[in-house]
Amino acid sequence: MSLSQKSSDLKRRMREALRGGGEKAIEKQKATGKLTARERIIALLDPKSFHEYDLFVEHAGRDFDMSDKYLPGDGVVTGTGTINGYPVCVFAQDFTVAGGSLGYMHAKKITKIMDHAMKLKVPLIGINDSGGARIQEGVNSLAGYGEIFYRNTQASGVIPQISVILGPCAGGAVYSPALTDFVFVVDKISKMFITGPEVIKTVLGEEISMEELGGARVQAEITGNAHFYSENEIECFEQIKRLCSYIPWNNTKKAESFPKKPPRTRQYNIEKLFPTNSRQPYDVKDIICSISDDSEFFEVHELWAENIVVGFARMSGNTVGFVANQPLVLAGVLDVDSSDKAARFIRYCDAFNIPLVTLVDLPGYLPGVDQEHAGVIRHGAKVLYAYSEATVPKITVITRKAYGGGYIAMCSSHLRADFVFAWPTAEIAVMGPEGAANIIFRNEIKGAENPEEMRKLKVKEYKDKFANPYVAAAYGYIDAVIEPQETRDMVIHALHISADKTIVTPSKKHGIPPF
Ligand code: HXC
């Protein structure tokens, strides 16, 4: 064969491999509002940056007439590319080919690109659209998942791992994402479950739709399995690009620096946004925007456990991770879910050299039988563990309430915050004035001629003595009492001088966090 004949043979083979599951399957995919695997990669990466590998891989199934079947690329597209110049390894499962199910060679392609990502120390993005383990390939499919889970775990905290759920994902197709750092879902398209509606009907006799069982909103609002929710695939890819701008390529690097931009103070005026009445709730996201560069805040887990707010912003051009109690929701208490959410985010930031800025305003951990029985002790302890373990710069600002365990947990100096600032409005005490007065002045209140008058008097007495930042300041537990409008400058300075912070931690294989 001449070179030109060989070239046309290559082109023919490529055309064949690139046709995926064929016209009919592609039409079905499009009818559900989904892009194809390659279209997704192209939409996500910089123009012309995608380089595909292993296009000619074929499946290794031999049973159930599989040897007669041609599954182009074995149902997964893999390669490398860039996002705003930021290098990434990527795979996208092709649902048009055997439902994107994971057979032996399909898994080999994924583990090969994962190994590249680890070797090259660049992020891995997985677009999941798969019915899970390929049933016809039996234990080889399970082995494939095992290999992927192992690599997910090895890569955890070394390179960013981002999962996108863009189809009905079952079984192993959701466990791998659960081991990664960030999971993105899209309305009406993403479905995640270990066992689908059919199995549930057979085993339990319960009927439920895929959407109700594990749709995008369920995963973003109820389970917390998903960190980001979008209305459509293109919006989802824009969110991923935005996330990539805040995080470093790997754990040996810092996130990219951007030009410093002042906050948009006309819209986000810290003094106007913070209520004068100490009982009035406010949106802590406004406070974050009033001190961050260009008033931009990229929230993680926006729809789940809204009593705590976590996400990325920039201060003086550099990425920081914000953790803030949200007084608008449940007065910003820590509970089972908000503790999980905060602890995970803190550990992410610590693993990837992102300094933490904590804004504190909470009455404490949420009391109640439900919470106690749901394990608030174990979950709440995760926050203590995560903050204590974190060695990145940690700056804390107490804006209002910092009561009891909440005071300690929200990155107090005792958990080794590097700098703790308090506004004059801060109330640092074992508990709120009402509760405290009822306990320590019980006898005086009971024995008084007018118990209600006495109660009010004692609440005031307690408030005057403890509901302020000065007792903590007198012991050196906070470093400075500052005006709200000084916050941005104080935090930026604290971050600047902590940039080369080093901490020597005790030698150990690893700790045992309260998982
Ligand atoms: C082989 C599969 C498949 C699978 C789908 N297909 N899932 N083939 N193995 N796991 C094939 C279908 O046979 C069909 O092929 C094509 O993909 C499209 O599937 P449909 O069912 O037509 O699509 P849809 O109606 O959209 O339903 C999607 C689905 C459903 C919800 C994902 O296919 C489904 O329930 N699949 C099985 C899910 C499952 O139980 N997986 C195993 C999980 S166990 P044709 O040729 O007709 O187009 C697992 C073990 C690992 O993953 C656990 C690790 C902890």
Side-chain angles (χ1 to χ4, degrees):
M1 251 200 268
S2 68
L3 177 60
S4 77
Q5 281 168 323
K6 287 199 172 185
S7 293
S8 27
D9 179 50
L10 169 64
K11 287 195 183 87
R12 180 191 58 75
R13 286 170 186 267
M14 285 177 77
R15 266 197 309 277
E16 185 81 346
L18 289 170
R19 75 180 176 82
E23 258 172 51
K24 241 175 138 185
I26 292 173
E27 256 172 45
K28 194 176 160 196
Q29 173 96 347
K30 300 253 177 187
T32 52
K34 291 160 67 177
L35 297 173
T36 64
R38 281 187 189 81
E39 284 171 347
R40 286 168 170 167
I41 292 177
I42 301 294
L44 174 64
L45 301 184
D46 292 337
K48 298 201 164 75
S49 75
F50 179 53
H51 290 71
E52 181 170 348
Y53 312 115
D54 288 336
L55 176 65
F56 298 124
V57 160
E58 296 196 14
H59 75 83
R62 294 293 167 261
D63 300 316
F64 303 107
D65 300 328
M66 285 294 285
S67 32
D68 303 334
K69 283 195 178 155
Y70 171 55
L71 302 181
D74 203 10
V76 62
V77 179
T78 61
T80 53
T82 58
I83 292 181
N84 294 325
Y86 182 107
V88 292
C89 286
V90 62
F91 71 83
Q93 293 176 308
D94 185 349
F95 195 81
T96 68
V97 178
S101 58
L102 184 131
Y104 179 74
M105 291 308 292
H106 178 124
K108 278 252 172 208
K109 280 180 77 169
I110 293 179
T111 53
K112 187 169 161 189
I113 202 70
M114 292 176 89
D115 291 342
H116 273 310
M118 274 296 270
K119 203 168 44 191
L120 310 176
K121 294 269 186 297
V122 301
L124 175 79
I125 302 179
I127 301 178
N128 299 268
D129 189 358
S130 165
R134 186 173 299 152
I135 297 160
Q136 299 91 324
E137 292 197 36
V139 73
N140 268 337
S141 312
L142 300 181
Y145 270 127
E147 293 291 332
I148 292 172
F149 301 161
Y150 176 78
R151 283 170 176 79
N152 283 138
T153 309
Q154 294 298 306
S156 180
V158 180
I159 52 168
Q161 298 184 84
I162 295 170
S163 295
V164 198
I165 308 293
L166 291 181
C169 289
V174 290
Y175 267 130
S176 171
L179 289 167
T180 64
D181 306 330
F182 298 108
V183 176
F184 289 74
V185 291
V186 172
D187 188 36
K188 297 190 185 71
I189 289 177
S190 313
K191 276 110 189 146
M192 301 171 73
F193 34 76
I194 297 298
T195 50
E198 287 298 322
V199 180
I200 291 182
K201 194 174 168 192
T202 313
V203 177
L204 300 166
E206 291 171 12
E207 287 205 32
I208 188 160
S209 70
M210 271 204 239
E211 192 65 35
E212 287 170 310
L213 179 65
R217 279 212 95 88
V218 170
Q219 303 299 354
E221 280 180 16
I222 299 175
T223 66
N225 286 330
H227 302 78
F228 296 97
Y229 168 91
S230 312
E231 296 288 335
N232 57 59
E233 295 197 17
I234 297 300
E235 188 186 301
C236 169
F237 299 143
E238 291 307 316
Q239 280 192 339
I240 297 171
K241 291 178 198 177
R242 198 165 165 212
L243 172 66
C244 287
S245 77
Y246 283 104
I247 58 178
W249 301 355
N250 63 54
N251 66 347
T252 66
K253 293 197 182 308
K254 288 196 175 178
E256 195 184 339
S257 289
F258 284 72
K260 172 179 175 173
K261 284 185 180 170
R264 286 177 269 137
T265 41
R266 200 179 292 177
Q267 193 182 347
Y268 294 103
N269 182 325
I270 201 162
E271 283 173 274
K272 290 195 180 138
L273 293 166
F274 189 70
T276 41
N277 177 350
S278 68
R279 290 171 155 267
Q280 198 181 320
Y282 60 92
D283 189 345
V284 78
K285 293 182 209 174
D286 286 340
I287 305 297
I288 294 172
C289 289
S290 70
I291 59 173
S292 60
D293 284 15
D294 208 21
S295 299
E296 279 204 9
F297 177 52
F298 186 54
E299 193 172 354
V300 177
H301 264 148
E302 184 183 354
L303 302 175
W304 181 59
E306 292 173 73
N307 38 330
I308 203 150
V309 169
V310 301
F312 301 108
R314 288 190 189 91
M315 296 196 77
S316 198
N318 298 314
T319 298
V320 295
F322 270 100
V323 180
N325 308 116
Q326 174 58 290
L328 275 187
V329 182
L330 291 171
V333 287
L334 280 172
D335 58 6
V336 166
D337 285 346
S338 64
S339 296
D340 264 11
K341 172 171 160 179
R344 186 183 160 100
F345 183 73
I346 293 162
R347 293 195 98 205
Y348 183 84
C349 290
D350 189 44
F352 287 99
N353 314 312
I354 297 172
L356 287 158
V357 178
T358 302
L359 302 183
V360 187
D361 185 355
L362 82 165
Y365 281 94
L366 181 62
V369 178
D370 286 353
Q371 284 292 309
E372 295 293 343
H373 288 187
V376 70
I377 298 172
R378 178 166 49 89
H379 292 286
K382 292 177 188 176
V383 182
L384 304 172
Y385 195 105
Y387 268 131
S388 301
E389 180 192 46
T391 57
V392 288
K394 299 185 281 193
I395 319 297
T396 301
V397 181
I398 304 173
T399 61
R400 216 162 55 175
K401 295 189 227 42
Y403 296 155
Y407 156 70
I408 309 170
M410 291 302 291
C411 206
S412 60
S413 55
H414 323 293
L415 305 191
R416 301 298 183 268
D418 298 295
F419 294 97
V420 181
F421 305 124
W423 290 0
T425 44
E427 301 173 15
I428 304 168
V430 171
M431 61 170 71
E434 278 79 11
N438 281 341
I439 294 171
I440 57 176
F441 302 118
R442 185 185 296 149
N443 292 338
E444 284 100 316
I445 294 171
K446 234 189 195 169
E449 223 168 86
N450 184 338
E452 194 43 40
E453 273 303 304
M454 179 59 85
R455 207 182 63 80
K456 277 190 188 146
L457 204 74
K458 291 296 178 189
V459 166
K460 187 176 177 315
E461 193 180 319
Y462 183 89
K463 239 184 191 167
D464 291 345
K465 188 152 180 55
F466 290 118
N468 61 60
Y470 301 107
V471 182
Y475 284 104
Y477 296 147
I478 56 174
D479 298 288
V481 182
I482 62 169
E483 299 285 356
Q485 61 271 27
E486 292 177 283
T487 307
R488 177 173 156 91
D489 284 347
M490 292 295 280
V491 172
I492 287 176
H493 176 71
L495 289 167
H496 180 62
I497 58 166
S498 314
D500 285 330
K501 173 185 174 186
T502 43
I503 290 245
V504 179
T505 50
S507 164
K508 55 180 153 180
K509 188 172 172 191
H510 56 68
I512 323 285
F515 278 169

